[in-house]
Structure formats: C-alpha cells, structure tokens
Amino acid sequence: MKATKSSIIEKAPLPAVIKHLLDLSGSTAAVEIHHSAGGQTIAGGKYSLAKHKITLYWDGIEEQCRLLYGSLKPFDQHLAAVFAHELGHAEDSELNTLADQLDQTNDPLQRKRIALRIETNAWNYAIRLLQERDSEFLQFLMYISLEPYHDGDAA
C-alpha cells in the first residue's frame, strides 16, 4: 500500500480480517486506514462519533506490536483486536449518552468512570465479535488498554 500526502493509504481493498469483521458486525461505519496518527501517540485506531467513521493507524498498530510482543508476528491478530474494539465504539448503543455525560462533567473521577465505561463497552463488544477466540490474547490487550483508568493516569 502506498501513502499519499494526507497519510491516508491509497484506496485499496480492506485487509481480509477487517472486511470479515465489518461484514460479521453488520456495521455501517466507514473505515479509513492511515499510516500514522501524527504527533507523539501510538494509537492503533479511533472512532469518530460525529462521522460514524473508524480510522486505523498502521504505524501505531505496528509500534504496539513491537512494544507488546517484541515483533510484528502477531500483527494480523492485533489488527483484528484493535478493529473489533473500534467497531465496539461504533456499535455501542450507550455511546451518545456516555459522550454527552462526559462533556457535561468536570469532575475528574466521574470523567474517568465514564471513559472507563466507554472503553469497557468497546472491549466487551470486541470479545463477543471475535467469539472469544484467543481469549487470553484479548484479555491481555483489554488489561493493558484499561490499566490507565484504574491507576489514576487517565483523566
């Protein structure tokens, strides 16, 4: 795949694992794949509620693999987990309400609780979508992903 100036990977068929999960979910969310999120983040993906769009960041997913596993060997498995998690946001029937609650509170503890709920909902969806195959793998990613909400680092 080739990058353009905007960092969007040129229009190409979605990877098979992404297409399979999108079809399995029945989601109507748009999907874009970018090389990077820019800045100092290693985000693997994000969901835009306003645009009903999932953006995946190839460089972020690769870097996560290097950090978590020491190699790119589990890239496809990790990509599937990241995408299923983002689909979890896209298909979360509570997300609008939770996002409104997040916008309406300035209480740091309440914000953390709402953010944790949003992320937990997405991971629970991912586990169901992936039919709990590689359960230990998913539980590990969920633990790593949610850890900041438990240890005081997330606001």
Side-chain angles (χ1 to χ4, degrees), residues 42-113:
I42 62 165
K46 73 175 182 180
Y47 172 68
S48 168
L49 182 60
K51 296 179 182 178
H52 192 50
K53 179 175 76 174
I54 295 168
T55 305
L56 296 173
Y57 300 109
W58 230 243
D59 290 350
I61 295 169
E62 287 178 349
E63 185 62 20
Q64 289 175 5
C65 284
R66 286 185 194 98
L67 289 171
L68 294 171
Y69 323 113
S71 79
L72 295 178
K73 187 174 180 179
F75 180 84
D76 288 341
Q77 186 180 17
H78 190 79
L79 172 63
V82 169
F83 184 64
H85 173 82
E86 297 306 329
L87 277 170
H89 290 306
E91 300 305 309
D92 185 354
S93 62
E94 295 183 322
L95 187 57
N96 278 319
T97 301
L98 292 169
D100 287 345
Q101 290 174 4
L102 196 58
D103 288 342
Q104 294 170 6
T105 186
N106 292 320
D107 178 349
L109 181 58
Q110 188 62 20
R111 291 182 61 77
K112 185 185 288 191
R113 286 179 177 157

